[in-house]
Amino acid sequence: DGGITQSPKYLFRKEGQNVTLSCEQNLNHDAMYWYRQDPGQGLRLIYYSQIVNDFQKGDIAEGYSVSREKKESFPLTVTSAQKNPTAFYLCAAGGQGSQPQHFGDGTRLSIL
Amino acid sequence: QKEVEQNSGPLSVPEGAIASLNCTYSDRGSQSFFWYRQYSGKSPELIMFIYSNGDKEDGRFTAQLNKASQYVSLLIRDSQPSDSATYLCAVTPPSGYALNFGKGTSLLVTP
């Protein structure tokens, strides 16, 4: 199946713990993105990557980290420095030039 | 300041009516405009995109863009209960990357 795969679907974080959210795409897009969505809110950009081994901070990067070692993969780590991590996390790919972005199914992160 | 504004709603329309969703944006150099539909608990799904001034139709959906007024809208004809969702307006900034999203308009189509 073609598309963007996020895992896990649900994730629970303990106090002081780092957790990593996976995002894989087989659409051959150069650009990938991570967004956070809180209830009743729009999407806020955490990080984006236009090409392998390169990424830029978005509007709310504090407490998060990413890597882009392969074109297909863009994992997001939510560190213990992120004090309010409970949210719906969405990975997207595409969007270069005038092209639209497409989203994975999302990961819902909660604090234990 | 990059802002995309939408009325949060809820917008309630009867089944079969036309639903009109509106969006304004602040960055005059914005390039491309997208409408995403998001059902509760699900991820956004692209339904329309428009790049040039005027109307673009796709089935029951029509996107309208007026760059002079910095305004984009989505019309849904013959609204169905299955259209009930939150509709997100998204705009590509002049840099050409990472979309700016509005907070979305909640649409409720009543039988």
Side-chain angles (χ1 to χ4, degrees), chain A residues 33 35 37 41-43 45 50 59 88 90 95-98 100-101 103-104 108, chain B residues 2 32 34 36 38 41-44 46 51 88 92 96-99 101-103:
Chain A
Y33 311 81
Y35 293 92
Q37 188 176 35
Q41 300 295 314
L43 278 65
L45 182 66
Q50 299 171 23
D59 300 321
F88 189 38
L90 289 158
Q96 287 186 294
S98 298
Q101 293 179 21
F103 288 86
R108 201 166 295 277
Chain B
K2 45 186 180 181
S32 309
F34 306 90
Y36 288 85
Q38 188 175 25
K42 303 295 186 183
S43 65
L46 179 71
Y51 306 139
L88 300 171
T92 304
Y97 293 103
L99 297 173
F101 282 86
K103 293 184 178 181

Side-chain angles (χ1 to χ4, degrees), chain B:
Chain B
Q1 184 74 6
K2 45 186 180 181
E3 291 185 356
V4 178
E5 300 287 343
Q6 296 181 254
N7 188 322
S8 62
L11 172 66
S12 182
V13 300
E15 184 175 356
I18 296 175
S20 177
L21 305 163
N22 305 314
C23 172
T24 59
Y25 59 96
S26 61
D27 196 332
R28 187 168 289 279
S30 297
Q31 304 278 345
S32 309
F33 307 86
F34 306 90
W35 284 99
Y36 288 85
R37 178 177 62 200
Q38 188 175 25
Y39 292 113
S40 180
K42 303 295 186 183
S43 65
E45 171 193 12
L46 179 71
I47 54 171
M48 287 288 290
F49 57 90
I50 186 166
Y51 306 139
S52 305
N53 278 329
D55 294 0
K56 179 182 179 183
E57 186 174 320
D58 184 2
R60 295 187 296 114
F61 299 99
T62 298
Q64 299 175 317
L65 175 61
N66 183 328
K67 288 188 176 181
S69 300
Q70 295 176 235
Y71 176 92
V72 58
S73 64
L74 178 71
L75 301 178
I76 306 175
R77 289 181 300 281
D78 188 24
S79 295
Q80 301 297 309
S82 59
D83 294 325
S84 299
T86 296
Y87 289 80
L88 300 171
C89 173
V91 176
T92 304
S95 65
Y97 293 103
L99 297 173
N100 296 323
F101 282 86
K103 293 184 178 181
T105 297
S106 175
L107 173 66
L108 178 63
V109 181
T110 56

Side-chain angles (χ1 to χ4, degrees), chain A:
Chain A
D1 262 0
I4 302 166
T5 302
Q6 290 187 242
S7 62
K9 190 171 182 178
Y10 299 96
L11 187 58
F12 298 91
R13 195 192 87 171
K14 294 181 181 178
E15 200 70 38
Q17 185 183 42
N18 294 352
V19 293
T20 297
L21 284 61
S22 171
C23 179
E24 303 279 332
Q25 58 110 356
N26 61 5
L27 302 172
N28 202 35
H29 287 307
D30 286 314
M32 297 184 73
Y33 311 81
W34 275 105
Y35 293 92
R36 168 180 172 144
Q37 188 176 35
D38 294 281
Q41 300 295 314
L43 278 65
R44 292 186 289 168
L45 182 66
I46 305 173
Y47 268 98
Y48 67 101
S49 169
Q50 299 171 23
I51 199 167
V52 174
N53 292 322
D54 186 49
F55 47 83
Q56 286 78 41
K57 292 182 179 180
D59 300 321
I60 55 165
E62 186 173 349
Y64 300 97
S65 66
V66 293
S67 63
R68 187 84 187 277
E69 297 176 1
K70 298 187 301 181
K71 187 175 185 176
E72 300 78 18
S73 179
F74 191 39
L76 173 73
T77 296
V78 183
T79 74
S80 57
Q82 173 50 246
K83 297 306 180 186
N84 184 23
T86 297
F88 189 38
Y89 290 86
L90 289 158
C91 177
Q96 287 186 294
S98 298
Q99 297 306 306
Q101 293 179 21
H102 296 278
F103 288 86
D105 289 339
T107 293
R108 201 166 295 277
L109 176 62
S110 303
I111 294 182
L112 275 178

